[in-house]
């Protein structure tokens, strides 16, 4: 007999550091939008690896490409050329409309790369006095976990006991163009932002903000740096979330889905006047741009070139949004949707985000809470219409059960669904 889920959980909690608080489910297999636990129970994966699995688990095209490359060549380091990086770089340039890319592995490394490139560009091209470059960041941001990146996080849990922090990141309110304009000074080299704040709870900027930010950055001669690690590559219903306002940033930061959920692949993309500041020895990574990563990245880019995944995100997202709006007033107090990506705020008097996720888990749906009373929904873009309906039913049922429990606790004698549903 295999190891039970209880034993796996115990092993993990005993031997792995407690830097996460997972839901009590132990997954063993995945296919498309669905995963199976060690006891053989199936779940619809509505977290999709925080959007790394946009193309689903075990996507056949990605698996085939990776398997083929695994047999041929996996790692050369950048001490030598390999036959995948050049084509990958050219194809990613075509997708982003940029002239150059710099490949890394994780999202945080790509953000670090964008920070270093922006600062270097500030000194060498813009002429900012040495050691004074600043990058404006947004409150509520999530850009990763390195010491420099958490230096400008406004999340106490992410920063506590990790100081001293890296200076040079003035913060402004997310989506407030006047605040950005007021924060720009002679030391500013860039504005770093998420076109949709994913970890923040799928927070959408006010309409016009992206276009205004583009205009401001151009006018003030500073770099517009879009962290599209979570929002990019189809999730938002467009190739990039910046496309929502037809905006092209100076630097795209990409990760997660660039590796198709089967390998860590990240990159930044920019024009040569920006990325040209990087010279041999000034930045690098043993694994960045390796042939396996580049081969997987090439397949991801090819899949995005047709527009079919972006279209699926729009179609399924519209269905999800309609269903979620129908739950407002029944325990849902806020809904934000962009593409197949939703932030759902639940009434904290009824249940916490964690409790909602536990209720969904019981009903065969995986999702994750953020900031107490919000859950994020990001099913793989290969989900079916039936999958989305199943998610909506599981949500509605969990809320009905929570209302039932609340009214029973109050001694209310009518069933919750009788007085809450007309
Ligand atoms: N940037 C954004 C917008 C993210 O959402 C994340 C991860 O959630 C990161 C960067 C960090 O990526 P990674 O966890 O691969 O370092």
């Amino acid at each position: 007999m295999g190891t039970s889920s209880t034993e796996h959980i115990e092993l993990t909690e005993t031997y792995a550091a407690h830097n996460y608080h997972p839901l009590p489910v132990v997954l063993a297999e995945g296919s498309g939008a669905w995963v199976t636990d060690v006891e053989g129970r199936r779940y619809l994966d509505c977290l999709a690896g925080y959007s790394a699995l946009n193309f689903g688990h075990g996507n056949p095209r990605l698996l085939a490409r990776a398997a083929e490359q695994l047999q041929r060549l996996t790692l050369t380091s950048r001490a030598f050329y390999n036959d995948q990086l050049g084509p990958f770089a050219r194809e990613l340039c075509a997708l982003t409309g940029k002239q150059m890319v710099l490949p890394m592995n994780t999202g945080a490394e790509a953000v670090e790369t964008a920070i270093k490139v922006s600062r270097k560009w500030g000194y060498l091209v813009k002429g900012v006095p040495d050691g004074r470059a600043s990058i404006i960041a947004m409150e509520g941001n999530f850009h990763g976990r390195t010491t420099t990146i958490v230096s400008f996080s406004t999340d106490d849990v992410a920063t506590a006991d990790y100081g001293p922090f890296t200076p040079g990141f003035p913060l402004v309110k997310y989506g407030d163009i006047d605040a950005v304009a007021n924060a720009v000074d002679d030391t500013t080299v860039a504005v770093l932002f998420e076109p949709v704040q994913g970890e923040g709870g799928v927070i959408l900027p006010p309409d016009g903000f992206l276009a205004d930010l583009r205009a401001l950055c151009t006018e003030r001669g500073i770099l517009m740096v879009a962290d599209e690690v979570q929002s990019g590559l189809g999730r938002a219903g467009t190739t990039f979330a910046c496309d929502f306002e037809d905006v092209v940033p100076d630097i795209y930061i990409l990760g997660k889905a660039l590796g198709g959920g089967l390998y860590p692949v990240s990159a930044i993309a920019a024009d040569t006047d920006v990325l040209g500041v990087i010279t041999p020895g000034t930045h690098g990574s043993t694994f960045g741009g390796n042939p396996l990563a580049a081969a997987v990245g090439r397949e991801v880019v090819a899949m995005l070139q047709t527009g079919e995944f972006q279209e699926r995100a729009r179609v399924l997202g519209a269905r999800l949004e309609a269903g979620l709006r129908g739950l407002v007033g029944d325990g849902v107090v806020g809904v934000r949707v962009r593409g197949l990506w939703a932030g759902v705020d639940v009434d904290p008097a009824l249940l916490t985000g964690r409790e909602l996720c536990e209720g969904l888990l019981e009903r065969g749906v995986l999702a994750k809470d953020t900031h107490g009373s919000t859950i994020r929904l990001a099913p793989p873009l290969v989900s079916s219409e039936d999958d989305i309906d199943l998610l909506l039913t599981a949500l509605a049922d969990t809320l009905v059960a929570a209302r039932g429990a609340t009214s029973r606790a109050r001694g209310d004698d009518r069933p919750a669904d009788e007085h809450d549903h007309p």
Side-chain angles (χ1 to χ4, degrees), residues 187-269:
T187 67
T188 311
V189 296
V191 180
L192 171 64
F193 70 102
E194 295 155 272
V196 173
Q197 287 190 327
E199 297 302 297
V202 192
I203 308 295
L204 309 177
D207 282 348
F209 175 71
L210 299 176
D212 289 347
L213 186 60
R214 175 64 279 176
L216 178 77
C217 289
T218 304
E219 191 189 302
R220 304 298 293 269
I222 54 181
L223 300 176
M224 181 186 192
V225 182
D227 182 346
E228 294 253 17
V229 166
Q230 192 165 163
S231 60
L233 310 181
R235 173 56 60 192
T238 44
T239 306
F240 305 107
C242 282
D243 297 347
F244 187 72
E245 291 187 15
D246 290 326
V247 157
V248 178
D250 297 298
I251 299 181
Y252 284 107
I253 307 175
L254 304 172
K256 293 194 192 281
L258 193 57
L262 52 91
Y263 200 75
V265 185
S266 69
I268 71 166

Coordinates of all heavy atoms in Angstrom, one line a residue, residues 187-269:
T187 N 16.2 61.3 -9.3 CA 16.8 60.0 -9.1 C 16.0 58.9 -9.7 O 16.5 57.7 -9.8 CB 16.9 59.7 -7.6 OG1 15.6 59.5 -7.0 CG2 17.7 60.8 -6.8
T188 N 14.8 59.1 -10.1 CA 13.9 58.1 -10.6 C 14.4 57.5 -11.9 O 14.6 58.3 -12.9 CB 12.4 58.6 -10.8 OG1 12.0 59.4 -9.7 CG2 11.5 57.5 -11.1
V189 N 14.5 56.2 -12.0 CA 14.9 55.5 -13.2 C 13.7 54.7 -13.8 O 13.7 54.5 -15.0 CB 16.1 54.6 -13.0 CG1 17.3 55.5 -12.7 CG2 15.9 53.5 -12.0
A190 N 12.8 54.3 -12.9 CA 11.8 53.4 -13.4 C 10.6 53.4 -12.5 O 10.7 53.8 -11.3 CB 12.3 52.0 -13.6
V191 N 9.4 52.9 -13.1 CA 8.3 52.6 -12.3 C 8.0 51.1 -12.4 O 7.9 50.6 -13.6 CB 7.0 53.4 -12.7 CG1 5.8 53.0 -11.8 CG2 7.2 54.9 -12.7
L192 N 8.0 50.4 -11.3 CA 7.8 48.9 -11.4 C 6.4 48.6 -10.9 O 6.0 49.1 -9.8 CB 8.8 48.2 -10.4 CG 8.6 46.7 -10.2 CD1 8.8 45.9 -11.5 CD2 9.6 46.2 -9.1
F193 N 5.6 47.9 -11.7 CA 4.2 47.7 -11.3 C 3.7 46.4 -11.9 O 4.2 45.9 -12.9 CB 3.3 48.9 -11.8 CG 3.2 48.8 -13.3 CD1 2.0 48.4 -13.9 CD2 4.3 49.2 -14.2 CE1 1.9 48.3 -15.3 CE2 4.2 49.1 -15.5 CZ 3.0 48.7 -16.1
E194 N 2.6 45.9 -11.3 CA 1.9 44.8 -11.9 C 0.7 45.3 -12.6 O -0.1 46.1 -12.0 CB 1.4 43.8 -10.8 CG 2.5 43.1 -10.0 CD 2.0 42.7 -8.6 OE1 2.1 43.6 -7.7 OE2 1.5 41.6 -8.4
P195 N 0.4 45.0 -13.8 CA -0.8 45.5 -14.5 C -2.1 45.1 -13.9 O -3.1 45.7 -14.0 CB -0.6 45.0 -16.0 CG 0.6 44.2 -16.0 CD 1.3 44.2 -14.7
V196 N -2.0 43.9 -13.2 CA -3.1 43.5 -12.3 C -2.3 42.9 -11.1 O -1.4 42.1 -11.3 CB -3.9 42.3 -12.9 CG1 -4.9 41.8 -11.9 CG2 -4.7 42.8 -14.2
Q197 N -2.7 43.3 -9.9 CA -2.0 42.8 -8.7 C -2.6 41.4 -8.3 O -3.6 41.3 -7.7 CB -2.1 43.8 -7.5 CG -1.3 45.0 -7.7 CD -1.1 45.9 -6.5 OE1 -2.1 46.0 -5.7 NE2 0.0 46.5 -6.3
G198 N -1.8 40.4 -8.7 CA -2.3 39.0 -8.6 C -2.4 38.6 -7.1 O -3.5 38.3 -6.6
E199 N -1.2 38.6 -6.4 CA -1.2 38.1 -5.0 C -2.0 39.1 -4.2 O -2.6 38.7 -3.1 CB 0.2 38.0 -4.5 CG 1.1 37.0 -5.3 CD 0.5 35.6 -5.2 OE1 0.4 35.1 -4.1 OE2 0.1 35.1 -6.3
G200 N -2.1 40.3 -4.6 CA -2.9 41.3 -3.8 C -4.4 40.9 -3.8 O -5.2 41.5 -3.0
G201 N -4.8 40.0 -4.7 CA -6.2 39.6 -4.7 C -6.9 40.0 -6.1 O -8.1 40.3 -6.1
V202 N -6.1 39.9 -7.1 CA -6.6 40.3 -8.5 C -7.2 41.7 -8.4 O -8.4 41.9 -8.7 CB -7.6 39.2 -9.1 CG1 -7.9 39.5 -10.6 CG2 -7.1 37.8 -8.9
I203 N -6.3 42.6 -8.0 CA -6.7 44.0 -7.9 C -6.5 44.7 -9.3 O -5.3 44.6 -9.8 CB -5.9 44.8 -6.9 CG1 -5.9 44.0 -5.5 CG2 -6.3 46.2 -6.7 CD1 -7.2 44.0 -4.8
L204 N -7.5 45.2 -9.9 CA -7.4 45.9 -11.2 C -7.1 47.3 -11.0 O -7.7 48.0 -10.2 CB -8.8 45.7 -12.0 CG -9.3 44.3 -12.0 CD1 -10.7 44.3 -12.7 CD2 -8.4 43.4 -12.8
P205 N -6.2 47.9 -11.8 CA -6.0 49.3 -11.8 C -7.2 50.1 -12.3 O -8.0 49.5 -13.1 CB -4.8 49.5 -12.7 CG -4.8 48.4 -13.7 CD -5.5 47.3 -13.0
P206 N -7.4 51.3 -11.9 CA -8.5 52.1 -12.5 C -8.3 52.2 -14.0 O -7.2 52.2 -14.5 CB -8.4 53.5 -11.9 CG -7.3 53.4 -10.9 CD -6.6 52.1 -11.0
D207 N -9.4 52.2 -14.8 CA -9.4 52.4 -16.2 C -8.5 53.6 -16.6 O -8.7 54.6 -16.0 CB -10.8 52.5 -16.8 CG -11.5 51.2 -16.9 OD1 -10.8 50.1 -16.7 OD2 -12.7 51.2 -17.1
G208 N -7.7 53.4 -17.5 CA -6.9 54.5 -18.0 C -5.5 54.6 -17.3 O -4.6 55.3 -17.8
F209 N -5.3 53.9 -16.2 CA -4.1 54.0 -15.4 C -2.9 53.5 -16.3 O -1.8 54.2 -16.3 CB -4.2 53.2 -14.1 CG -2.9 53.2 -13.4 CD1 -2.4 54.3 -12.7 CD2 -2.1 52.0 -13.3 CE1 -1.2 54.3 -12.1 CE2 -0.9 52.0 -12.6 CZ -0.4 53.1 -12.0
L210 N -3.0 52.4 -17.0 CA -1.9 51.9 -17.7 C -1.5 52.9 -18.8 O -0.3 53.1 -19.0 CB -2.2 50.5 -18.3 CG -2.6 49.4 -17.3 CD1 -3.0 48.1 -18.0 CD2 -1.5 49.1 -16.3
A211 N -2.4 53.4 -19.5 CA -2.1 54.4 -20.6 C -1.5 55.6 -20.0 O -0.6 56.2 -20.5 CB -3.4 54.7 -21.4
D212 N -2.1 56.1 -18.9 CA -1.5 57.3 -18.2 C -0.1 57.1 -17.8 O 0.7 58.0 -17.9 CB -2.4 57.7 -17.0 CG -3.8 58.3 -17.4 OD1 -3.9 58.6 -18.7 OD2 -4.7 58.4 -16.6
L213 N 0.1 55.9 -17.2 CA 1.5 55.6 -16.7 C 2.5 55.5 -17.9 O 3.6 56.0 -17.8 CB 1.5 54.2 -16.0 CG 2.8 53.8 -15.3 CD1 3.2 54.8 -14.2 CD2 2.6 52.4 -14.6
R214 N 2.0 55.0 -19.0 CA 2.9 54.9 -20.2 C 3.2 56.4 -20.6 O 4.4 56.7 -20.9 CB 2.1 54.2 -21.3 CG 2.8 54.2 -22.7 CD 4.1 53.4 -22.8 NE 5.2 54.2 -22.3 CZ 6.4 53.7 -22.2 NH1 6.7 52.5 -22.5 NH2 7.4 54.5 -21.7
A215 N 2.2 57.2 -20.7 CA 2.5 58.6 -21.1 C 3.4 59.3 -20.1 O 4.3 60.0 -20.5 CB 1.1 59.4 -21.2
L216 N 3.2 59.1 -18.8 CA 4.0 59.7 -17.8 C 5.5 59.3 -17.9 O 6.4 60.1 -17.8 CB 3.5 59.4 -16.4 CG 4.3 60.0 -15.2 CD1 4.0 61.5 -15.1 CD2 3.9 59.3 -13.9
C217 N 5.7 58.0 -18.1 CA 7.1 57.4 -18.1 C 7.8 58.0 -19.4 O 9.0 58.4 -19.3 CB 7.0 55.9 -18.2 SG 6.6 55.2 -16.6
T218 N 7.0 58.1 -20.5 CA 7.7 58.7 -21.7 C 8.0 60.1 -21.5 O 9.1 60.6 -21.8 CB 6.7 58.5 -22.9 OG1 6.3 57.1 -23.0 CG2 7.3 59.0 -24.2
E219 N 7.1 60.9 -20.9 CA 7.3 62.3 -20.7 C 8.5 62.6 -19.8 O 9.3 63.5 -20.0 CB 6.0 62.8 -20.1 CG 5.8 64.3 -20.0 CD 4.6 64.7 -19.2 OE1 3.5 64.3 -19.6 OE2 4.8 65.4 -18.2
R220 N 8.6 61.8 -18.7 CA 9.6 62.0 -17.7 C 10.9 61.3 -18.0 O 11.9 61.4 -17.2 CB 9.1 61.7 -16.3 CG 7.8 62.4 -15.9 CD 7.9 63.9 -15.8 NE 8.8 64.3 -14.8 CZ 8.4 64.6 -13.5 NH1 7.2 64.6 -13.2 NH2 9.3 65.0 -12.6
G221 N 10.9 60.5 -19.1 CA 12.2 59.8 -19.4 C 12.6 58.7 -18.4 O 13.7 58.6 -18.1
I222 N 11.6 58.0 -18.0 CA 11.9 56.9 -17.1 C 11.3 55.6 -17.6 O 10.4 55.6 -18.5 CB 11.3 57.1 -15.6 CG1 9.8 57.5 -15.7 CG2 12.1 58.3 -15.0 CD1 9.2 57.8 -14.3
L223 N 11.8 54.4 -17.1 CA 11.4 53.2 -17.7 C 10.0 52.7 -17.1 O 9.9 52.7 -15.9 CB 12.4 52.1 -17.5 CG 13.8 52.4 -18.1 CD1 14.8 51.3 -17.7 CD2 13.7 52.5 -19.6
M224 N 9.2 52.2 -17.9 CA 7.9 51.6 -17.5 C 8.2 50.1 -17.4 O 8.4 49.5 -18.5 CB 6.8 51.9 -18.5 CG 5.4 51.4 -18.1 SD 4.2 51.7 -19.4 CE 2.7 51.3 -18.5
V225 N 8.2 49.5 -16.2 CA 8.6 48.1 -16.1 C 7.4 47.3 -15.6 O 6.9 47.5 -14.4 CB 9.8 48.0 -15.0 CG1 10.2 46.6 -14.9 CG2 10.9 48.9 -15.5
A226 N 6.8 46.5 -16.5 CA 5.6 45.7 -16.1 C 6.0 44.3 -15.7 O 6.6 43.6 -16.4 CB 4.7 45.7 -17.4
D227 N 5.6 44.0 -14.5 CA 5.8 42.7 -14.0 C 4.6 41.8 -14.4 O 3.5 41.9 -13.8 CB 5.9 42.7 -12.4 CG 6.2 41.3 -11.9 OD1 6.0 40.3 -12.6 OD2 6.5 41.1 -10.7
E228 N 4.8 41.1 -15.5 CA 3.7 40.3 -16.1 C 4.0 38.8 -15.7 O 3.5 37.9 -16.5 CB 3.7 40.5 -17.6 CG 3.2 41.9 -18.0 CD 1.8 42.0 -18.5 OE1 1.0 41.0 -18.3 OE2 1.5 43.0 -19.2
V229 N 4.7 38.6 -14.6 CA 5.0 37.2 -14.3 C 3.7 36.4 -14.1 O 3.6 35.2 -14.5 CB 5.9 37.2 -13.0 CG1 5.9 35.8 -12.4 CG2 7.3 37.6 -13.3
Q230 N 2.7 37.0 -13.4 CA 1.5 36.3 -13.2 C 0.4 36.7 -14.2 O -0.4 35.8 -14.6 CB 1.0 36.5 -11.7 CG -0.1 35.6 -11.3 CD -0.4 35.5 -9.8 OE1 -1.4 35.0 -9.4 NE2 0.5 35.9 -9.0
S231 N 0.4 37.9 -14.6 CA -0.7 38.4 -15.4 C -0.5 38.1 -16.9 O -1.4 38.1 -17.7 CB -0.8 40.0 -15.2 OG 0.4 40.6 -15.6
G232 N 0.8 37.8 -17.3 CA 1.1 37.7 -18.7 C 0.8 36.3 -19.3 O 0.4 35.4 -18.5
L233 N 1.0 36.2 -20.6 CA 1.0 34.9 -21.3 C -0.4 34.2 -21.2 O -0.6 33.0 -21.0 CB 2.0 33.9 -20.7 CG 3.5 34.6 -20.7 CD1 4.5 33.6 -20.1 CD2 3.9 35.1 -22.0
G234 N -1.4 35.1 -21.5 CA -2.8 34.5 -21.8 C -3.8 34.7 -20.7 O -5.0 34.7 -20.9
R235 N -3.3 34.7 -19.4 CA -4.2 34.6 -18.3 C -5.2 35.7 -18.3 O -6.4 35.5 -17.9 CB -3.3 34.7 -17.0 CG -4.0 34.9 -15.7 CD -5.0 33.8 -15.4 NE -4.4 32.4 -15.3 CZ -5.2 31.3 -15.3 NH1 -6.5 31.4 -15.4 NH2 -4.6 30.1 -15.3
A236 N -4.8 36.9 -18.7 CA -5.7 38.1 -18.6 C -6.6 38.2 -19.8 O -7.3 39.2 -20.0 CB -4.9 39.4 -18.4
G237 N -6.6 37.2 -20.7 CA -7.5 37.3 -21.9 C -6.8 37.9 -23.1 O -7.3 38.0 -24.2
T238 N -5.6 38.3 -22.8 CA -4.7 38.9 -23.9 C -3.3 38.4 -23.6 O -3.0 37.8 -22.5 CB -4.7 40.5 -23.8 OG1 -4.5 40.8 -22.4 CG2 -5.9 41.1 -24.3
T239 N -2.4 38.5 -24.6 CA -1.0 38.0 -24.4 C -0.4 38.6 -23.1 O 0.1 37.9 -22.3 CB -0.2 38.2 -25.6 OG1 -0.8 37.7 -26.7 CG2 1.2 37.5 -25.5
F240 N -0.5 39.9 -23.0 CA -0.1 40.6 -21.8 C -1.2 41.4 -21.2 O -2.1 41.9 -21.9 CB 1.1 41.5 -22.1 CG 2.2 40.8 -22.8 CD1 2.5 41.0 -24.2 CD2 3.0 39.9 -22.1 CE1 3.5 40.2 -24.8 CE2 4.0 39.1 -22.8 CZ 4.2 39.3 -24.1
A241 N -1.2 41.5 -19.9 CA -2.3 42.3 -19.3 C -2.2 43.8 -19.7 O -3.2 44.5 -19.7 CB -2.2 42.2 -17.7
C242 N -1.0 44.3 -20.0 CA -0.8 45.6 -20.5 C -1.6 45.9 -21.8 O -2.0 47.0 -22.2 CB 0.7 46.0 -20.8 SG 1.6 46.4 -19.2
D243 N -1.8 44.8 -22.6 CA -2.6 44.9 -23.8 C -4.0 45.4 -23.6 O -4.7 45.9 -24.5 CB -2.7 43.5 -24.6 CG -1.4 43.0 -25.0 OD1 -0.4 43.7 -24.9 OD2 -1.3 41.8 -25.3
F244 N -4.5 45.2 -22.4 CA -5.9 45.7 -22.1 C -6.1 47.2 -22.4 O -7.1 47.6 -22.8 CB -6.1 45.5 -20.6 CG -7.5 45.7 -20.2 CD1 -8.6 44.8 -20.5 CD2 -7.9 46.8 -19.4 CE1 -9.9 45.1 -20.2 CE2 -9.2 47.1 -19.1 CZ -10.2 46.2 -19.4
E245 N -5.0 47.9 -22.3 CA -5.1 49.4 -22.7 C -4.1 49.6 -23.8 O -3.7 50.8 -24.0 CB -4.8 50.3 -21.5 CG -5.9 50.2 -20.5 CD -5.8 51.2 -19.3 OE1 -5.0 52.2 -19.5 OE2 -6.5 51.0 -18.4
D246 N -3.8 48.6 -24.6 CA -2.9 48.8 -25.7 C -1.6 49.5 -25.4 O -1.1 50.3 -26.1 CB -3.6 49.5 -26.9 CG -4.6 48.7 -27.5 OD1 -4.4 47.4 -27.6 OD2 -5.7 49.2 -27.9
V247 N -1.1 49.1 -24.2 CA 0.1 49.8 -23.7 C 1.3 48.8 -23.8 O 1.2 47.6 -23.6 CB -0.1 50.2 -22.2 CG1 1.2 50.3 -21.5 CG2 -0.9 51.4 -22.1
V248 N 2.4 49.4 -24.3 CA 3.7 48.6 -24.3 C 4.7 49.2 -23.3 O 5.1 50.3 -23.5 CB 4.3 48.6 -25.8 CG1 5.6 47.9 -25.8 CG2 3.3 48.1 -26.8
P249 N 5.0 48.4 -22.3 CA 6.0 48.9 -21.4 C 7.4 48.9 -22.0 O 7.7 48.3 -23.0 CB 5.9 47.9 -20.2 CG 5.5 46.6 -20.9 CD 4.7 47.0 -22.1
D250 N 8.4 49.5 -21.2 CA 9.8 49.4 -21.7 C 10.4 48.1 -21.4 O 11.3 47.6 -22.1 CB 10.6 50.6 -21.1 CG 10.1 51.9 -21.5 OD1 10.1 52.2 -22.7 OD2 9.5 52.6 -20.6
I251 N 10.0 47.5 -20.3 CA 10.5 46.2 -19.9 C 9.3 45.3 -19.5 O 8.5 45.7 -18.7 CB 11.5 46.2 -18.7 CG1 12.7 47.1 -19.0 CG2 11.9 44.8 -18.3 CD1 13.7 47.2 -17.9
Y252 N 9.3 44.1 -20.2 CA 8.3 43.1 -19.7 C 9.1 42.1 -18.8 O 10.2 41.7 -19.1 CB 7.8 42.2 -20.9 CG 6.8 42.8 -21.8 CD1 7.1 43.2 -23.1 CD2 5.5 42.9 -21.4 CE1 6.2 43.8 -23.9 CE2 4.5 43.5 -22.2 CZ 4.9 43.9 -23.5 OH 3.9 44.4 -24.3
I253 N 8.5 41.8 -17.6 CA 9.1 40.7 -16.8 C 8.2 39.5 -16.9 O 6.9 39.7 -16.6 CB 9.2 41.2 -15.3 CG1 9.9 42.5 -15.2 CG2 9.8 40.1 -14.5 CD1 9.9 43.1 -13.8
L254 N 8.7 38.4 -17.3 CA 7.9 37.2 -17.6 C 8.4 36.0 -16.8 O 9.6 36.0 -16.5 CB 7.9 36.9 -19.1 CG 7.5 38.0 -20.0 CD1 7.7 37.6 -21.5 CD2 6.0 38.3 -19.8
G255 N 7.5 35.1 -16.4 CA 7.9 33.9 -15.7 C 6.8 32.9 -15.7 O 6.0 32.9 -16.7
K256 N 6.6 32.2 -14.6 CA 5.6 31.3 -14.4 C 5.2 30.5 -15.7 O 5.8 29.5 -16.0 CB 4.3 31.9 -13.8 CG 4.5 32.5 -12.4 CD 3.3 32.8 -11.8 CE 3.4 33.6 -10.5 NZ 3.8 32.8 -9.3
A257 N 4.2 30.9 -16.4 CA 3.7 30.1 -17.6 C 4.7 30.0 -18.7 O 4.5 29.2 -19.6 CB 2.4 30.7 -18.1
L258 N 5.7 30.8 -18.7 CA 6.8 30.7 -19.7 C 7.4 29.4 -19.7 O 8.0 28.9 -20.7 CB 7.8 31.9 -19.5 CG 8.8 32.1 -20.6 CD1 8.1 32.5 -22.0 CD2 9.7 33.3 -20.3
G259 N 7.4 28.7 -18.5 CA 7.9 27.4 -18.4 C 6.9 26.3 -18.4 O 7.1 25.1 -18.1
G260 N 5.6 26.7 -18.8 CA 4.6 25.7 -19.0 C 4.2 24.9 -17.8 O 3.6 23.9 -17.9
G261 N 4.7 25.3 -16.6 CA 4.3 24.6 -15.4 C 5.2 23.3 -15.3 O 4.9 22.5 -14.4
L262 N 6.1 23.1 -16.2 CA 7.0 21.9 -16.0 C 8.4 22.2 -15.8 O 9.2 21.3 -15.6 CB 6.7 20.9 -17.2 CG 6.8 21.4 -18.6 CD1 8.2 21.2 -19.1 CD2 5.8 20.6 -19.4
Y263 N 8.8 23.5 -15.9 CA 10.2 23.9 -15.7 C 10.2 25.4 -15.4 O 9.4 26.1 -15.9 CB 10.9 23.6 -17.0 CG 12.4 23.5 -16.9 CD1 12.9 22.3 -16.3 CD2 13.2 24.5 -17.2 CE1 14.3 22.2 -16.1 CE2 14.6 24.4 -17.1 CZ 15.1 23.2 -16.5 OH 16.5 23.1 -16.3
P264 N 11.1 25.8 -14.5 CA 11.1 27.2 -14.2 C 11.8 28.0 -15.3 O 13.0 27.7 -15.6 CB 12.0 27.3 -12.9 CG 12.4 26.0 -12.6 CD 12.0 25.0 -13.7
V265 N 11.1 28.9 -16.0 CA 11.7 29.7 -17.1 C 11.2 31.1 -16.9 O 10.0 31.3 -16.8 CB 11.2 29.2 -18.5 CG1 12.0 30.0 -19.6 CG2 11.5 27.7 -18.7
S266 N 12.1 32.1 -16.8 CA 11.7 33.5 -16.7 C 12.6 34.3 -17.6 O 13.6 33.8 -18.1 CB 11.8 34.0 -15.3 OG 13.1 34.1 -14.8
A267 N 12.2 35.5 -17.9 CA 13.0 36.4 -18.8 C 12.5 37.8 -18.6 O 11.4 38.1 -18.1 CB 12.8 35.9 -20.2
I268 N 13.4 38.7 -19.0 CA 12.9 40.1 -19.2 C 13.1 40.4 -20.7 O 14.0 39.8 -21.4 CB 13.5 41.2 -18.3 CG1 15.0 41.4 -18.7 CG2 13.4 40.8 -16.9 CD1 15.5 42.8 -18.1
A269 N 12.2 41.2 -21.3 CA 12.3 41.6 -22.7 C 12.3 43.1 -22.8 O 11.5 43.8 -22.1 CB 11.1 41.0 -23.5

